[in-house]
Amino acid sequence: MMKSVLLAAALLGVFSTAALGDDRYVSRPPVVLSPDLAAPWIMQLSGSGNVRPVVYQRPVIVQQQRGLFAPRAVRRAPAAQQVSAINPGVPVIRGQIEPQFLPQMVDYQTKEAPGTIVIDTNNRFLYLVMANGKARRYGVGVGKPGFEWAGVHKVTRKSEWPDWTPPSEMISREAAKGHYLPARMDGGPENPLGARAMYLGSTLYRIHGTNAPWTIGSAVSSGCIRLRNEDVVDLYERVKVGTRVIVI
């Protein structure tokens, strides 16, 4: 009798468990996929009927640049380069200037009186002679091959943010290369004469600033002597009309 009761109870438990199992999946929860298909597909099970998908933020991959071995995709485009006048085999990155061309006080033995300007075109330096065997030295850009010159002049005029009227010969010369210059350009940051200009004698030559400071230390001009804008402003304040200028 007891065995029959136990057997009946066991069978009842088995059928009840199966029934409960079937009831659990009578109403199956919705399967929701993340709308961001770039993220892992996340299946969420819920019987609420109001399921908010989980969206993962896309990973941000940061690639380190290591010189020339940086991945091609993240390697920066090379900057425009200018060949160094001091070290011909070493390119100078556009926007930079070699340290020796920055203004500095140097020893300078000369018979010229203090206040005289001496421009050493071969070495790309301008010296403002000071007392006691000293000079204030600036890096300069000078005339390109075929436009070099030497001589002695005086500063006959000074101008702040000068306008620029290219000589007709320059306009014709550049037009032959496919470069068309304006007949006149107002003074300003884009003007090739830069922030200041000091005119030499009755010539077309000037000591002036530039809108291309990376050319300092190079032979690139049509004969003018160019300095960085911050340097030409400094020199301009120290120089008077009538100053003797020696170009060697």
Side-chain angles (χ1 to χ4, degrees):
M1 182 65 177
M2 181 60 69
K3 290 181 178 180
S4 299
V5 173
L6 292 174
L7 179 58
L11 291 173
L12 181 61
V14 169
F15 290 123
S16 299
T17 302
L20 289 173
D22 289 338
D23 290 342
R24 183 187 305 171
Y25 298 105
V26 168
S27 177
R28 294 179 181 273
V31 176
V32 181
L33 301 181
S34 169
D36 183 359
L37 299 183
W41 286 16
I42 308 300
M43 293 195 307
Q44 301 180 359
L45 304 179
S46 172
S48 64
N50 182 19
V51 180
R52 181 181 179 185
V54 174
V55 180
Y56 287 96
Q57 296 293 330
R58 297 187 184 187
V60 177
I61 300 174
V62 178
Q63 295 176 315
Q64 288 186 334
Q65 298 188 47
R66 295 185 178 180
L68 297 178
F69 299 99
R72 184 180 297 274
V74 298
R75 194 177 298 162
R76 294 180 179 177
Q81 294 181 338
Q82 191 77 31
V83 175
S84 166
I86 302 300
N87 303 301
V90 180
V92 178
I93 299 176
R94 177 174 177 149
Q96 295 181 342
I97 182 172
E98 294 181 87
Q100 67 268 26
F101 294 127
L102 297 175
Q104 52 195 287
M105 292 294 296
V106 297
D107 292 328
Y108 190 70
Q109 298 299 323
T110 180
K111 296 180 180 180
E112 300 298 332
T116 302
I117 291 175
V118 179
I119 300 170
D120 181 347
T121 56
N122 286 333
N123 291 309
R124 321 293 200 248
F125 291 128
L126 181 153
Y127 296 90
L128 177 60
V129 179
M130 312 292 281
N132 303 317
K134 297 287 186 180
R136 186 166 180 81
R137 190 181 76 185
Y138 305 83
V140 296
V142 299
K144 56 192 171 185
F147 292 84
E148 309 96 331
W149 63 279
V152 180
H153 291 286
K154 290 185 178 181
V155 174
T156 51
R157 184 163 69 92
K158 298 169 60 179
S159 179
E160 298 185 9
W161 294 106
D163 57 20
W164 179 47
T165 302
S168 57
E169 306 84 33
M170 179 184 291
I171 292 176
S172 300
R173 185 172 63 247
E174 294 302 314
K177 303 175 186 176
H179 305 152
Y180 298 96
L181 301 179
R184 181 183 176 279
M185 178 182 275
D186 290 335
E190 300 302 319
N191 191 303
L193 298 186
R196 303 287 187 273
M198 289 158 275
Y199 297 77
L200 303 180
S202 58
T203 73
L204 295 177
Y205 298 131
R206 287 151 289 203
I207 299 170
H208 62 76
T210 183
N211 61 350
W214 56 88
T215 61
I216 300 305
S218 302
V220 292
S221 78
S222 294
C224 286
I225 307 300
R226 64 176 66 171
L227 296 83
R228 298 188 310 162
N229 279 340
E230 51 266 56
D231 297 344
V232 79
V233 169
D234 180 77
L235 179 65
Y236 187 94
E237 298 299 325
R238 300 171 185 271
V239 170
K240 298 178 180 180
V241 171
T243 293
R244 179 178 167 89
V245 178
I246 304 170
V247 179
I248 58 176

